Amino acid sequence: MAKRLIPSFNRVLIEKIVPPSKTNSGILLPGSTTKLNSGKVVAVGPGGRDRDGKLIPVSVKEGDSVLLPEFGGTEVKLGDKEYHLYRDEDILGTLHD
């Protein structure tokens, strides 16, 4: 369903990563654990334009894991899933293993 939405300009469609509520062995984790505000890039727009009209491409690509600000973005509901739209410059960085 998310593949039908192509963001405009320098927008990035992100599916937030929800931290697990229990461990592999079945131990329930408290809700107060610190979580990393991160997500996975689902779709990207073509990019923005500078004053001369030249295209400035988006700095992330589909499949990247990114670090997000605590607040911001626009919530988008497609089917039964929730996604968020962020501007490229609002993304704090990419996460690598």
Side-chain angles (χ1 to χ4, degrees):
M1 183 68 103
K3 291 295 180 184
R4 292 184 185 172
L5 177 65
I6 298 173
S8 298
F9 304 112
N10 63 344
R11 306 281 196 306
V12 180
L13 185 66
I14 295 177
E15 182 177 7
K16 286 199 174 181
I17 297 172
V18 180
S21 60
K22 65 179 180 177
T23 63
N24 292 339
S25 61
I27 298 172
L28 293 175
L29 299 172
S32 62
T33 58
T34 59
K35 64 175 183 170
L36 188 61
N37 198 14
S38 61
K40 185 171 186 167
V41 176
V42 177
V44 296
R49 301 236 177 230
D50 64 3
R51 291 181 186 233
D52 298 328
K54 294 180 184 172
L55 185 67
I56 302 170
V58 179
S59 62
V60 294
K61 61 185 182 305
E62 291 182 21
D64 283 353
S65 294
V66 293
L67 183 63
L68 303 169
E70 187 173 350
F71 301 105
T74 303
E75 188 175 315
V76 178
K77 195 164 191 172
L78 297 172
D80 59 345
K81 286 192 168 186
E82 287 186 10
Y83 299 95
H84 297 289
L85 274 172
Y86 286 91
R87 293 180 192 271
D88 183 39
E89 59 266 9
D90 291 341
I91 295 173
L92 301 175
T94 57
L95 300 171
H96 301 279
D97 291 332

